[in-house]
């Protein structure tokens, strides 16, 4: 069974940093592109960042480019999201997921993801 467990969220002041972790299981880790997504209250889920299984290329939404960094540890089957210079617009529940889709497609259409964890809440105060 494919499973994701996100952690590391919390309350942080604007300009601060957080590091999110996602432990994955139930699939071959390097067989899928894996990414981070977020959903703010009253908004649709949106793609944040993704790592390509083919060559490790990292993709970012324009809103987080230069501030967030995605990384992964294949041995631990864990993907991370380092969030720096956060702002109140980053407040959301953050999820990770992996699919046999290329990153650009997965980020653009998160509804194609079949498996999701419970997410971790990130709240940025101004």
């Amino acid at each position: 069974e494919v499973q994701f467990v996100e952690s590391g969220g919390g309350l942080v002041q604007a300009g601060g940093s957080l590091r999110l972790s996602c432990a994955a299981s139930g699939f071959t880790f390097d067989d899928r592109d894996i990414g981070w997504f977020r959903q703010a209250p009253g908004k649709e889920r949106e793609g944040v960042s993704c790592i390509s299984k083919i060559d490790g290329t990292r993709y970012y939404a324009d809103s987080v480019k230069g501030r967030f960094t995605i990384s992964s540890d294949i041995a631990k089957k864990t993907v991370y999201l380092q969030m720096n210079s956060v702002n109140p617009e980053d407040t959301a529940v953050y999820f990770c997921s992996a699919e046999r889709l290329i990153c650009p497609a997965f980020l653009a259409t998160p509804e194609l993801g079949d498996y999701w964890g419970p997410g971790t809440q990130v709240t940025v105060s101004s």
Side-chain angles (χ1 to χ4, degrees):
E1 181 183 5
V2 177
Q3 289 187 327
F4 302 94
V5 179
E6 302 91 347
S7 62
L11 175 63
V12 61
Q13 287 189 331
S17 299
L18 277 177
R19 189 192 193 208
L20 307 184
S21 299
C22 171
S25 62
F27 64 98
T28 302
F29 193 74
D30 56 359
D31 188 39
R32 300 179 182 221
D33 287 12
I34 187 164
W36 283 95
F37 302 80
R38 66 186 181 186
Q39 188 164 16
K43 295 187 177 181
E44 294 185 349
R45 192 165 299 185
E46 64 175 356
V48 175
S49 183
C50 183
I51 292 181
S52 168
K53 64 179 178 295
I54 296 175
D55 57 7
T57 299
R58 303 171 185 186
Y59 296 82
Y60 298 94
D62 288 343
S63 59
V64 306
K65 203 170 293 183
R67 300 188 297 120
F68 292 8
T69 303
I70 190 171
S71 61
S72 65
D73 185 327
I74 295 177
K76 294 182 178 179
K77 298 190 73 171
T78 300
V79 63
Y80 305 95
L81 186 69
Q82 178 66 43
M83 306 169 59
N84 297 330
S85 301
V86 297
N87 58 60
E89 289 70 40
D90 296 319
T91 294
V93 178
Y94 284 71
F95 305 87
C96 69
S97 186
E99 283 296 342
R100 293 188 180 95
L101 295 167
I102 59 172
C103 276
F106 197 15
L107 289 176
T109 51
E111 59 269 25
L112 294 180
D114 288 332
Y115 303 99
W116 298 94
T120 185
Q121 175 71 50
V122 172
T123 303
V124 182
S125 63
S126 57

